[in-house]
């Protein structure tokens, strides 16, 4: 008892002079009363069934020291403080100042009200301000949740707890860890103000640096760097609202969705996630990035949707893009209205008037299929009204059309094209890439074209061929194009236009102009050409035609 008595004697008065006198603490009962001095302080020593009262606060204990010269007491053994018949604090020892109406309870402290129970070793309670706090670890429990922290503050009027350091809130379905959290024991809503993680079942977790979580409705409203993570996906944004009951989440502002299995990242302005369906949609100029074997494919559209693979069906999942689809890769660019990317088979389906560019070749058809192997293009299939156009160095348009086509690639370059059904070709013959020597025109049921460095080398007419060569002086403008030919190079998407704001790096600042004047060096003299010197003749570029 000595340390508490000395502490009571030495407590400094608050700034501004002597504190105002509070209502006198009233002794109600005691089995034995002994008066005397203790270290020069006049006290009453009370033993057995001791009880006190001040306003609507009652104090019970086995024994106590009541100070005569000041409105204060110390209580020992089975101490219990009751306020308004709704709040009860129990512990081993207590000091209570009747003027300031502040109490300190130590040893196995338990605070209870109709909504919660708090357990700690030391608790300070200001009855005037209705605030209790602990600084050496505590555990709060209510019918739904358990919360632990190193420090805690409880307002008994508003029923709001504030927790600091190593905070852990355990609910029926989740574990919340953070360093700063506010919990309303009435609404059961937890507010957090720093890095916070909510870990749930089946490996799902949510992370944010500001927001709140309703432990009853299980709805999270996250702000600042918010993320939801599953074993397969990571969805994040500036803001994130997630409803656990519906397994539905909405992310807004700098949204990103990552597929961990196949290194796919989608960015946009708004993202929606249906966990039960394994489906996510991203809006607001979304762009997908897929890195495979050092080749990066970018895919943009008005809407991108990802569907996870279902157990026992598909494991890779599918990406849908629509409308106004744009594709960009270093060796391939394209457009179409809608696209399907089967990640399990690495096949991309382009629908509704697709158009692709590979180097200087333009490919069009009613629909297309791109087959990949180890991250590189293996085959490209063109279905219905297939058309390939390429421009040579003299801006002539070499053309091939047919019902269907199959293009074979090696090292992401066209090696061979099979034209199946109603095949037609129109190719210009050049001499040294400087002079047109004529035009080859052919019709056949099927054709096979072979390329080197994306340039046509040979054409093989395989069934019922009809070929002709037209010299330059006989060429007419209407002979230079096949029916349906369109050169749409202006529609070819650039890297910057495809990546948009979500992947493009900010433009570098231009260097400031200086007024420093520099002397111009005199122009160098050009070497004179030798008299009667002639340019070496350039080699012609042959295109060989064969008939099987």
């Amino acid at each position: 008892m000595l340390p508490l008595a000395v502490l009571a004697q030495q407590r400094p008065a608050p700034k501004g002079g002597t504190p105002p006198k509070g209502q006198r603490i009233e002794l109600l009962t005691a089995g034995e009363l002994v008066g005397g001095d203790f270290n020069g302080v006049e006290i009453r020593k009370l033993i057995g069934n001791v009880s006190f009262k001040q306003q609507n606060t009652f104090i019970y204990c086995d024994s106590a020291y009541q100070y005569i010269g000041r409105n204060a007491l110390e209580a020992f053994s089975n101490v219990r403080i009751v306020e308004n018949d709704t709040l009860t604090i129990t512990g081993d020892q207590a000091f209570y100042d009747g003027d300031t109406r502040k109490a300190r309870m130590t040893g196995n402290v338990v605070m209870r009200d109709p909504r919660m129970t708090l357990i700690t070793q030391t608790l300070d309670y200001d009855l005037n301000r209705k605030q209790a706090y602990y600084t050496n670890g505590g555990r709060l429990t209510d019918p739904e949740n358990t919360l632990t922290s190193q420090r805690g503050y409880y307002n008994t009027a508003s029923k709001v707890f504030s927790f600091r350091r190593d905070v852990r809130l355990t609910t029926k379905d989740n574990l919340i860890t953070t360093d700063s959290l506010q919990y309303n024991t009435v609404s059961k809503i937890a507010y957090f103000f720093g890095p916070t993680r909510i870990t749930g079942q089946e490996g799902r977790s949510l992370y944010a640096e500001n927001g709140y979580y309703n432990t009853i409705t299980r709805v999270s409203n996250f702000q600042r760097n918010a993320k939801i993570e599953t074993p397969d996906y990571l969805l994040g944004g500036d803001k994130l609202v997630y409803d656990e009951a519906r397994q539905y989440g909405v992310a807004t502002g700098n949204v990103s969705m990552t597929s961990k299995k196949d290194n796919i990242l989608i960015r946009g302005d708004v993202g929606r996630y249906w966990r039960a369906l394994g489906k996510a949609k991203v809006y607001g100029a979304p762009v997908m990035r897929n890195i495979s074997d050092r080749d990066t494919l970018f895919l943009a559209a008005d809407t991108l949707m990802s569907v996870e693979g279902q157990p026992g069906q598909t494991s890779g999942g599918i990406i849908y893009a629509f409308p106004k689809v744009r594709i960009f890769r270093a060796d391939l660019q394209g457009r179409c209205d809608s696209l399907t990317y089967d990640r399990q088979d690495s096949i991309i389906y382009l629908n509704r008037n697709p158009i692709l560019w590979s180097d200087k070749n333009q490919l069009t058809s009613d629909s297309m299929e791109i087959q990949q192997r180890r991250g590189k293009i293996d085959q490209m299939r063109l279905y219905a009204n297939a058309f390939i156009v390429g421009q040579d160095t003299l801006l002539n348009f070499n053309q091939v059309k047919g019902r269907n086509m199959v293009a074979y690639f090696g090292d992401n370059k066209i090696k061979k094209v099979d034209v199946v059904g109603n095949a037609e070709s129109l190719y210009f013959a050049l001499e040294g890439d400087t002079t047109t020597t004529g035009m080859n025109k052919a019709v056949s049921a099927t054709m096979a074209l072979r390329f080197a460095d994306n340039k046509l080398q040979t054409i093989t007419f395989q069934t019922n061929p009809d070929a002709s060569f037209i010299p330059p002086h006989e060429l007419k403008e209407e002979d230079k194009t096949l029916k349906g030919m369109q050169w749409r190079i202006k529609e070819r998407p650039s890297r910057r236009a495809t990546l948009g704001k979500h992947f493009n790096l900010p433009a570098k600042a231009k260097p400031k102009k200086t007024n420093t004047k520099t002397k111009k060096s005199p122009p160098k003299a050009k070497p004179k050409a030798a008299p009667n010197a002639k340019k070496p003749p350039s080699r012609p570029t042959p295109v060989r035609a064969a008939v099987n």
Side-chain angles (χ1 to χ4, degrees), residues 225-289:
N225 197 22
K227 302 173 184 177
I228 178 172
E229 185 172 5
T230 71
D232 299 326
Y233 283 90
L234 176 64
L235 175 65
D238 293 340
K239 298 179 181 180
L240 173 64
V241 178
Y242 184 70
D243 187 332
E244 290 183 42
R246 298 168 56 200
Q247 296 189 5
Y248 170 70
V250 179
T252 56
N254 296 313
V255 172
S256 65
M257 188 186 71
T258 304
S259 174
K260 300 178 183 178
K261 290 183 178 180
D262 37 25
N263 202 16
I264 287 178
L265 171 62
I266 299 177
R267 291 179 178 173
D269 292 331
V270 179
R272 301 182 185 275
Y273 178 57
W274 295 265
R275 176 167 169 75
L277 301 176
K279 184 172 71 173
K281 276 187 178 182
V282 182
Y283 312 89
V287 181
M288 182 196 82
R289 183 187 69 189

Side-chain angles (χ1 to χ4, degrees), residues 314-533:
T314 59
S315 58
I318 298 175
I319 297 287
Y320 298 96
F322 55 92
K324 301 178 181 178
V325 179
R326 299 174 302 283
I327 300 172
F328 184 90
R329 200 162 83 169
D331 55 354
L332 185 71
Q333 301 84 44
R335 290 178 179 271
C336 64
D337 183 72
S338 63
L339 177 148
T340 303
Y341 178 21
D342 187 331
R343 305 202 310 263
Q344 182 176 7
D345 299 328
S346 295
I347 299 178
I348 300 176
Y349 302 92
L350 295 85
N351 305 306
R352 304 182 74 174
N353 302 318
I355 179 168
L356 291 174
W357 290 269
S358 177
D359 197 14
K360 295 182 180 180
N361 300 299
Q362 172 187 289
L363 298 85
T364 57
S365 64
D366 289 354
S367 63
M368 293 186 189
E369 179 181 308
I370 302 174
Q371 299 181 8
Q372 302 179 87
R373 180 180 294 177
R374 297 177 182 176
K376 295 182 180 294
I377 300 175
D378 182 57
Q379 291 185 26
M380 192 179 296
R381 296 176 178 267
L382 285 66
Y383 299 109
N385 298 313
F387 214 123
I388 296 180
V389 182
Q391 194 172 38
D392 63 21
T393 55
L394 297 182
L395 305 183
N396 298 310
F397 293 108
N398 299 314
Q399 304 152 54
V400 179
K401 64 180 291 189
R403 186 185 306 120
N404 301 314
M405 291 186 190
V406 181
Y408 301 90
F409 287 72
D411 296 326
N412 288 329
K413 293 182 179 179
I414 297 178
K415 297 297 183 181
K416 179 185 176 184
V417 175
D418 289 337
V419 187
V420 182
N422 303 328
E424 297 181 54
S425 68
L426 190 156
Y427 267 82
F428 289 85
L430 303 182
E431 182 179 349
D433 293 339
T434 58
T435 305
T436 300
T437 59
M439 186 185 75
N440 295 289
K441 191 170 184 178
V443 177
S444 179
T446 58
M447 290 183 186
L449 294 78
R450 295 189 180 275
F451 293 78
D453 295 325
N454 280 329
K455 294 182 179 180
L456 179 67
Q457 296 296 308
T458 63
I459 303 177
T460 302
F461 311 108
Q462 298 174 328
T463 309
N464 301 324
D466 182 9
S468 62
F469 180 80
I470 304 175
H473 63 277
E474 296 181 10
L475 275 176
K476 300 178 182 179
E477 284 300 317
E478 57 268 23
D479 297 329
K480 294 182 180 180
T481 58
L482 297 176
K483 184 178 180 180
M485 181 272 188
Q486 289 182 317
W487 183 242
R488 299 161 59 185
I489 194 64
K490 291 183 179 180
E491 300 178 37
R492 190 172 192 169
S494 65
R495 176 186 176 90
R496 178 170 291 275
T498 305
L499 272 58
K501 62 182 179 181
H502 298 296
F503 281 98
N504 273 326
L505 296 175
K508 294 183 179 179
K510 295 182 180 180
K512 295 182 179 180
K513 295 182 179 181
T514 60
N515 295 326
T516 306
K517 295 182 180 180
T518 56
K519 295 182 179 180
K520 294 183 179 180
S521 57
K524 295 182 179 179
K526 295 183 179 179
K528 295 181 179 180
N532 301 325

Side-chain angles (χ1 to χ4, degrees), residues 49-196:
N49 194 26
V50 182
S51 61
F52 300 93
K53 177 185 177 184
Q54 187 189 45
Q55 298 180 16
N56 55 2
T57 302
F58 293 85
I59 302 172
Y60 305 92
C61 60
D62 290 346
S63 61
Y65 286 168
Q66 184 177 19
Y67 294 90
I68 304 302
R70 55 181 301 192
N71 195 18
L73 62 86
E74 289 183 70
F76 309 98
S77 183
N78 296 315
V79 181
R80 181 161 48 100
I81 299 176
V82 180
E83 185 180 22
N84 291 327
D85 294 326
T86 57
L87 179 69
T88 302
I89 306 173
T90 61
D92 296 336
Q93 291 181 231
F95 175 82
Y96 180 69
D97 189 320
D99 290 337
T100 61
R101 287 179 56 78
K102 292 181 180 180
R104 165 168 284 193
M105 187 80 76
T106 60
N108 302 311
V109 181
V110 178
M111 171 186 271
R112 290 187 177 90
D113 70 13
R115 293 177 177 83
M116 65 87 203
T117 299
L118 171 66
I119 299 175
T120 183
Q121 284 300 308
T122 302
L123 183 73
D124 289 279
Y125 182 40
D126 187 330
L127 281 78
N128 286 331
R129 300 174 62 187
K130 305 297 181 183
Q131 289 186 353
Y133 62 93
Y134 60 86
T135 58
N136 56 355
R139 185 181 70 202
L140 178 145
T141 58
D142 63 23
E144 292 84 18
N145 310 297
T146 300
L147 202 154
T148 62
S149 69
Q150 284 299 310
R151 296 182 179 182
Y153 305 84
Y154 181 46
N155 188 307
T156 61
S158 63
K159 309 300 180 184
V160 173
F161 252 108
S162 296
F163 300 93
R164 302 286 188 275
R165 292 182 55 187
D166 300 329
V167 183
R168 294 170 64 88
L169 172 58
T170 305
T171 71
K172 179 181 178 181
D173 303 299
N174 299 291
L175 170 64
I176 302 176
T177 56
T178 182
D179 265 352
S180 179
L181 184 143
Q182 193 176 84
Y183 180 65
N184 190 311
T185 60
V186 179
S187 65
K188 310 298 183 183
I189 297 177
Y191 302 85
F192 42 89
F193 309 95
T196 303

